Amino acid sequence: MSADSSPSADSTDAPKSPGKPRLTEEEKKQNHIASEQKRRAAIRAQFDRLAELTPGMTGLGRSEGVVLSKVVEFAREQVEERRRLIAEIEKRGGVVAAEDRLY
């Protein structure tokens, strides 16, 4: 073996699928843009879904910050209500399993 241990040109320069031409830089750029638009649309759709499920969102802007703030507020209210109900159940002699508690 020679001192030059660089890989041969055949192993690094050969395309992975010989029948398929490589993408041009413009095609790569357009694919990237399309992928990014798809990703953003998916995120936007999920924020819209959160807004639909969260009380108090009617008539408010759909900015991500507003949606997240309202979702956190609603989640905290739900946790407090659950704790209140658990306390009421136990006050009346009921038992709530440990796995059903929120800590």
Side-chain angles (χ1 to χ4, degrees), residues 7 14 68 82 85-86 100:
L68 289 175
R82 184 178 180 98
L85 290 171
I86 289 171
D100 293 330

Side-chain angles (χ1 to χ4, degrees), residues 78-79 81-87 89-90 94-103:
Q78 294 303 301
V79 168
E81 177 65 8
R82 184 178 180 98
R83 286 182 179 148
R84 189 191 66 71
L85 290 171
I86 289 171
I89 289 168
E90 290 174 339
V95 177
V96 177
E99 62 268 11
D100 293 330
R101 295 178 172 276
L102 296 175
Y103 297 101

Side-chain angles (χ1 to χ4, degrees), residues 6 10-12 17 20 24-26 28-29 31 33 36 41 50 57 61-62 70 78 80 86 88 94 96 100-101:
S6 65
D10 292 337
S11 66
T12 58
S17 57
K20 200 172 183 182
T24 65
E25 289 304 313
E26 184 59 29
K28 289 178 187 178
K29 180 179 177 182
N31 284 349
I33 290 169
E36 184 64 17
L50 275 174
M57 287 297 303
R62 296 282 201 223
K70 284 293 187 180
Q78 294 303 301
E80 275 308 308
I86 289 171
E88 185 66 27
V96 177
D100 293 330
R101 295 178 172 276

Side-chain angles (χ1 to χ4, degrees), residues 30-101:
Q30 291 307 315
N31 284 349
H32 176 74
I33 290 169
S35 295
E36 184 64 17
Q37 287 173 341
K38 184 177 177 182
R39 184 188 72 81
R40 288 181 185 188
I43 291 170
R44 199 173 315 114
Q46 293 306 313
F47 270 97
D48 289 345
R49 182 73 176 126
L50 275 174
E52 289 171 10
L53 295 172
T54 306
M57 287 297 303
T58 306
L60 294 179
R62 296 282 201 223
S63 79
E64 293 171 1
V66 170
V67 172
L68 289 175
S69 292
K70 284 293 187 180
V71 168
V72 167
E73 179 183 327
F74 178 66
R76 284 185 177 147
E77 290 169 0
Q78 294 303 301
V79 168
E80 275 308 308
E81 177 65 8
R82 184 178 180 98
R83 286 182 179 148
R84 189 191 66 71
L85 290 171
I86 289 171
E88 185 66 27
I89 289 168
E90 290 174 339
K91 179 180 172 185
R92 294 179 182 206
V95 177
V96 177
E99 62 268 11
D100 293 330
R101 295 178 172 276

